[in-house]
Amino acid sequence: MTQFINIVTPLSPAIVTLIKTVIAQGHTDIDPIKITLTASQAKGLYKVGAVRTSEISAIVAKLMMAHQETIPASFTMEKFNTLTQEGTDCDSLEAMFLALAAIAGAHGNVVQNNRMFWALQCLDNARMLGKTNAEIAEIVAEITTEFFTKTATAKIVASVYTIAPTATITITGVTTNKYFTNHGTTIISFLKVGASATELITVYPGSGALIPLTWRKIVVTNISALAEGAFSLFVG
């Protein structure tokens, strides 16, 4: 049953300003490590999930450490260990950022719930007042017709997908100018097949993005290496 949920600490403008300042400083610190890929580079990336992580570990233990002669001359075990630590640090930072995004997303869900709660309370009051107020009755009738009247036409619903850590899904027949919604706790990106990587659209947990016109075939990527993602969009 839907209900009003009391928010102990509202997201006040002062808190928003403080958080934006912190995020801006965070960008100053982290933007230097941003890597911009071409479309062909992004397409050619190895998708390293749980299975390939195990494969790497086996190669390291059984070949690179036991038989260092297998290591290419232009590379060293020390450099590989540096990459390993860098990967661990990336996963750790991503998990921390996702935890923050999840807090903001969850807070937003409660806020929207409360907005809906009070809006419907207002509508219920309007139905009562409309019995003696023709103007209010007409407005209620308009809203009821637009949002609450059932029609014979089947309602078009969004298709829901799950996506494994670091996985990529190609979806065809996408309905454009509709929302791509991120329902999970991971950051998800999508791009029109054949488009420039500069057009990549990133969708954070609990938020959505309008799919541009002509983007009928898109590639969706779960940026997280730790968690499964979930999203929905319209196809047909």
Side-chain angles (χ1 to χ4, degrees):
M1 180 179 178
T2 57
Q3 57 182 305
F4 173 78
I5 299 174
N6 184 48
I7 299 175
V8 177
T9 305
L11 185 62
S12 68
I15 294 176
V16 172
T17 299
L18 175 62
I19 293 173
K20 285 183 176 180
T21 301
V22 173
I23 291 173
Q25 180 58 51
H27 272 291
T28 300
D29 296 332
I30 202 170
D31 281 355
I33 73 168
K34 182 179 179 180
I35 300 173
T36 301
L37 301 176
T38 64
S40 61
Q41 286 175 325
K43 185 177 180 180
L45 284 177
Y46 286 114
K47 305 302 184 294
V48 182
V51 174
R52 279 189 161 166
T53 297
S54 297
E55 181 182 344
I56 292 172
S57 297
I59 293 171
V60 170
K62 297 179 180 180
L63 290 175
M64 296 177 70
M65 295 180 66
H67 298 278
Q68 295 199 11
E69 65 272 20
T70 63
I71 299 175
S74 60
F75 199 63
T76 65
M77 193 66 203
E78 182 181 4
K79 290 180 180 179
F80 189 85
N81 289 336
T82 298
L83 284 176
T84 300
Q85 182 60 51
E86 188 173 357
T88 299
D89 290 339
C90 285
D91 289 345
S92 176
L93 288 172
E94 180 188 21
M96 293 170 68
F97 291 140
L98 288 174
L100 293 174
I103 291 172
H107 190 104
N109 289 339
V110 172
V111 169
Q112 295 299 352
N113 171 83
N114 289 352
R115 291 181 71 241
M116 191 78 244
F117 176 87
W118 290 118
L120 291 177
Q121 291 289 310
C122 176
L123 183 60
D124 286 344
N125 289 341
R127 287 193 178 100
M128 295 297 296
L129 293 172
K131 294 178 180 179
T132 56
N133 186 312
E135 181 180 356
I136 291 178
E138 183 177 351
I139 294 171
V140 169
E142 290 176 0
I143 293 173
T144 301
T145 299
E146 184 175 0
F147 296 103
F148 299 101
T149 301
K150 294 183 179 180
T151 64
T153 303
K155 183 179 180 181
I156 300 174
V157 297
S159 297
V160 179
Y161 299 81
T162 57
I163 181 169
T166 71
T168 296
I169 299 175
T170 300
I171 302 174
T172 59
V174 174
T175 302
T176 62
N177 206 34
K178 293 283 189 179
Y179 270 91
F180 177 109
T181 305
N182 185 346
H183 299 287
T185 58
T186 72
I187 299 174
I188 296 176
S189 68
F190 67 92
L191 178 69
K192 177 183 177 182
V193 172
S196 168
T198 59
E199 299 181 68
L200 187 74
I201 296 176
T202 301
V203 186
Y204 293 90
S207 65
L210 202 62
I211 299 174
L213 294 172
T214 76
W215 283 36
R216 293 280 291 164
K217 184 176 182 181
I218 63 173
V219 175
V220 182
T221 302
N222 181 4
I223 298 176
S224 173
L226 302 176
E228 181 179 77
F231 65 93
S232 66
L233 48 71
F234 293 87
V235 294

